[in-house]
Amino acid sequence: MSNQTEPVIIIGGGLAGLFCALKLAPRPVTVLAAAPIGRGASSAWAQAGIAAAVSDGDTIEKHVSDTVAAGDGIVDETIARLMASEAAARVHDLLGYGVPFDRDLEGRLQVSREAAHSESRIVRVRGDMAGRAIMQALVKTVETTPSIRVMEGYVVEDIVTAQGSVKGVIARSEAGRGPQVQLASSNVVIATGGIGHLYAVTTNPPEARGEGIGMAARAGAMMADMEFVQFHPTAINVDKDPAPLATEALRGHGATLINDAGERFMLKIDADAELAPRDVVARGIYAEVKSGRGAWLDCTEAVGASFAEEFPTVYKYCRDAGIDPAVQPIPVVPAAHYFMGGILTDADGRTSIDGLWACGECTSTGAHGANRLASNSLLEAVVFSARIAARIGNDGEAFASDWSKGSVDRDDLTAEADTPAMTRLRNTMSASFGVIRNRTDMLEGLKTILELETGNRDTAFRNVLATAKLVAVSALRREESRGGHFRTDFPEVRPEWQHRTFLTLADADGSVEDMREVA
């Protein structure tokens, strides 16, 4: 039994980490974040909203059915049902924290529809501002909660364990540039987000590069479904890093995808056309872009003159790039967006290491399978972070309100430019483990990862490379195409692969040794 007055350490200042911290109150919590809380999180950029069966005619069973269908055969249905069942309660928690979700004239939550959903169930804020609004509300609440200590500018490099249990973490201050510090705790929660920044084109911030996943793997934690990376079909193709996102809600609103000739190419690919699952749409757009025909999201008829009012975030992105989306199609390209794989957890957020918990995009709960259903990401983050808090317990005494809310000047916590090694890794991941994959390219990609690993002396980058290696080995092992994992050398779904995959870093290293081509 852990010391009840000992602070729980939460690594990550995004939605999952902050929601877990608030749910743990009044138990003392220390939040370690490399960037100012809320700023380095993918959640803050989420445009559409949270999926929840809260409207007339919708049901939890329908939500589960859509989730299972989108996951292409490997969703853990028990986990999906748990997540959908707790969705409404978590939405009301967020309302209690001050999130201004849209309501209709009668005061009911207003919902919209997105791809692969059978009903309108996306709870949103001003069309495309849900992520920002949620993070603003949580940050404000965290800053006024006495039991939560926020240490900004700390990059966690290692999980400390002994006899199979967590004992604390080793972190480096000043955004990873300062001296090391060690913090003790028998309960550590990893909430570090996904791996989008491992790819050259991504919608994710620089902090989303898999460090937390690699750190857990290096500590011996079991990983799951590491081959499944979701590429958002409609990143705005204006040569920005990260790529701005044209929300899926636009297609739910009736926007169409066309090529340079004005042809709606998705009509020939899937019966649901623009509202097909994300992996199908991403491959359709990828094929048009690679062929030189280009891909464009045409919102001129579906949204038109009301674009600025209905989708202000996307409108600003477009106008900043010299595009008027009310009258011009938006150039789009697939971008690394969400990671279905990650640290294996149970229904309460436990990992395979005693005292180590995980929530949010860094995890693989089984809720998403091979291809996440739109707007289930924010939902998963709040559902399972709340379950971690409930399991750890909230019976500690609150700390006094003079706890430090930050360790360094927030203006100094800017993300550094990619090193040459990181740039090489990102280009390699996009070329070898992107929208379209094959064995030859993946083996070449794995060789590069191993070369980078051999020459590396940086602990944080060691965590990044561990995650990349796990993705590579898992993708090479799965000899079929399913969900976000598509191989031209194995283009069909194979029944014998209709299961989740599990491995440790030691397993991955063993597989590398068995691959004589990369020896």
Side-chain angles (χ1 to χ4, degrees):
M1 182 68 67
S2 65
N3 182 351
Q4 293 297 298
T5 60
E6 170 190 78
V8 176
I9 293 176
I10 297 178
I11 309 170
L15 171 60
L18 298 188
F19 196 83
C20 186
L22 289 169
K23 280 291 187 178
L24 278 164
R27 177 165 181 148
V29 174
T30 297
V31 176
L32 299 173
I37 55 173
R39 190 189 297 177
S42 296
S43 301
W45 297 10
Q47 293 177 8
I50 295 182
V54 295
S55 63
D56 295 340
D58 198 6
T59 66
I60 289 170
E61 285 304 316
K62 288 181 180 179
H63 189 177
V64 173
S65 178
D66 291 344
T67 299
V68 170
D72 210 358
I74 62 169
V75 168
D76 184 326
E77 191 167 338
T78 300
I79 292 293
R81 181 166 286 102
L82 182 154
M83 181 176 73
S85 299
E86 297 185 7
R90 300 291 78 81
V91 168
H92 284 285
D93 284 342
L94 291 169
L95 286 166
Y97 292 136
V99 179
F101 288 121
D102 294 346
R103 296 181 182 270
D104 61 22
L105 294 177
E106 297 178 357
R108 295 173 299 190
L109 288 170
Q110 192 170 10
V111 292
S112 61
R113 185 182 173 192
E114 290 185 345
H117 286 271
S118 60
E119 300 285 344
S120 295
R121 65 168 67 95
I122 313 306
V123 183
R124 58 186 192 169
V125 178
R126 288 191 62 198
D128 62 3
M129 298 180 67
R132 183 185 307 176
I134 290 169
M135 291 309 299
Q136 286 175 344
L138 292 188
V139 168
K140 182 177 180 180
T141 307
V142 163
E143 288 177 340
T144 58
T145 301
S147 59
I148 301 174
R149 179 188 187 187
V150 177
M151 297 176 65
E152 294 171 333
Y154 280 80
V155 175
V156 182
E157 296 181 336
D158 279 302
I159 304 293
V160 180
T161 62
Q163 290 81 50
S165 297
V166 164
K167 300 302 179 185
V169 301
I170 296 174
R172 195 175 292 276
S173 62
E174 298 175 22
R177 299 183 292 268
Q180 281 189 340
V181 295
Q182 183 165 336
L183 290 85
S185 179
S186 56
N187 283 294
V188 173
V189 181
I190 300 181
T192 51
I195 68 169
H197 198 72
L198 290 186
Y199 289 82
V201 182
T202 179
T203 62
N204 291 183
E207 290 79 5
R209 57 184 205 156
E211 286 184 61
I213 296 168
M215 185 165 46
R218 288 180 51 240
M222 181 67 72
M223 303 289 126
D225 303 330
M226 295 291 290
E227 63 268 42
F228 295 113
V229 180
Q230 185 177 78
F231 294 84
H232 197 290
T234 54
I236 303 174
N237 191 10
V238 289
D239 197 28
K240 283 194 173 183
D241 184 22
L245 181 65
T247 175
E248 198 149 68
L250 287 164
R251 283 177 283 134
H253 214 70
T256 57
L257 288 163
I258 59 174
N259 57 24
D260 290 347
E263 175 190 13
R264 280 186 67 190
F265 55 85
M266 285 304 303
L267 291 173
K268 296 187 296 185
I269 297 174
D270 192 280
D272 288 330
E274 287 82 7
L275 293 179
R278 281 182 172 175
D279 62 302
V280 176
V281 180
R283 287 195 295 273
I285 293 174
Y286 182 82
E288 295 300 306
V289 173
K290 289 291 285 185
S291 72
R293 292 186 293 269
W296 307 78
L297 183 65
D298 188 352
C299 311
T300 56
E301 291 188 15
V303 185
S306 62
F307 205 117
E309 179 181 352
E310 293 194 58
F311 299 96
T313 303
V314 181
Y315 185 78
K316 184 179 186 303
Y317 287 154
C318 290
R319 294 302 289 164
D320 288 347
I323 302 164
D324 184 351
V327 296
Q328 294 174 285
I330 305 167
V332 291
V333 65
H337 182 63
Y338 190 84
F339 189 39
M340 280 78 74
I343 306 164
L344 177 67
T345 68
D346 67 7
D348 293 322
R350 292 188 190 89
T351 74
S352 59
I353 299 174
D354 185 37
L356 184 64
W357 312 74
C359 53
E361 193 178 347
C362 65
T363 69
S364 183
T365 62
H368 304 309
N371 186 35
R372 175 181 65 90
L373 182 67
S375 290
N376 269 352
S377 53
L378 300 186
L379 174 60
E380 182 193 40
V382 293
V383 165
F384 292 98
S385 58
R387 293 183 70 83
I388 288 173
R391 181 58 61 182
I392 291 177
N394 58 1
D395 54 348
E397 296 179 2
F399 274 99
S401 59
D402 62 350
W403 271 53
S404 170
K405 294 299 178 183
S407 60
V408 298
D409 188 340
R410 294 168 67 96
D411 292 334
D412 289 341
L413 300 182
T414 55
E416 293 186 346
D418 289 336
T419 63
M422 188 67 200
T423 298
R424 186 183 179 197
L425 177 62
R426 295 181 71 190
N427 290 334
T428 297
M429 294 298 290
S430 287
S432 299
F433 305 99
V435 178
I436 305 293
R437 304 169 175 181
N438 65 74
R439 181 174 176 81
T440 300
D441 289 345
M442 288 192 290
L443 285 172
E444 285 299 315
L446 181 55
K447 284 183 181 179
T448 299
I449 293 168
L450 297 177
E451 289 173 8
L452 289 168
E453 198 172 48
T454 300
N456 176 59
R457 297 293 180 270
D458 179 79
T459 303
F461 193 52
R462 187 186 311 159
N463 292 328
V464 172
L465 289 170
T467 300
K469 182 165 60 178
L470 288 160
V471 171
V473 170
S474 297
L476 278 159
R477 282 182 174 183
R478 183 174 284 271
E479 295 184 335
E480 67 156 358
S481 291
R482 186 183 296 272
H485 174 70
F486 185 84
R487 292 182 61 158
T488 55
D489 51 348
F490 292 97
E492 305 298 328
V493 173
R494 299 173 69 184
E496 63 268 32
W497 278 101
Q498 190 174 336
H499 60 78
R500 300 180 66 197
T501 53
F502 309 96
L503 81 167
T504 64
L505 189 57
D507 294 332
D509 287 333
S511 290
V512 168
E513 292 301 317
D514 291 339
M515 294 175 186
R516 301 306 178 191
E517 297 95 332
V518 298

